[in-house]
Amino acid sequence: MYQSEFTQFIKGFLDKNPEVDSQRRELRLTLWDRHPDLDDQRRWKESDVPQKPYVYQPD
């Protein structure tokens, strides 16, 4: 089965440095796999300013 040079490099790198994969998983938990704050979402929606159809036209 064909594998690109990049895929081979990454697999070799991760085999030699297993701590990188655990760090990647840990950082993913802090950035992506978290529950949204509903209060923050509500405040963002309330503070939204409607945009004019043509933003460069003077009032």
Side-chain angles (χ1 to χ4, degrees):
M1 184 172 167
Y2 172 76
Q3 288 186 348
S4 69
E5 291 179 14
F6 181 74
T7 302
Q8 293 173 4
F9 168 76
I10 291 296
K11 285 188 177 187
F13 178 78
L14 291 176
D15 287 343
K16 293 177 186 174
N17 304 305
E19 70 278 355
V20 172
D21 190 45
S22 62
Q23 289 174 351
R24 179 189 62 84
R25 291 176 192 267
E26 182 179 326
L27 292 175
R28 178 190 164 103
L29 289 174
T30 61
L31 294 175
W32 299 106
D33 296 339
R34 61 181 181 166
H35 299 290
D37 186 0
L38 298 178
D39 188 45
D40 283 344
Q41 287 182 351
R42 180 189 52 79
R43 286 187 287 136
W44 289 330
K45 287 181 182 178
E46 289 175 354
S47 66
D48 190 26
V49 177
Q51 185 174 357
K52 297 185 293 187
Y54 186 67
V55 295
Y56 300 109
Q57 182 177 359
D59 290 332

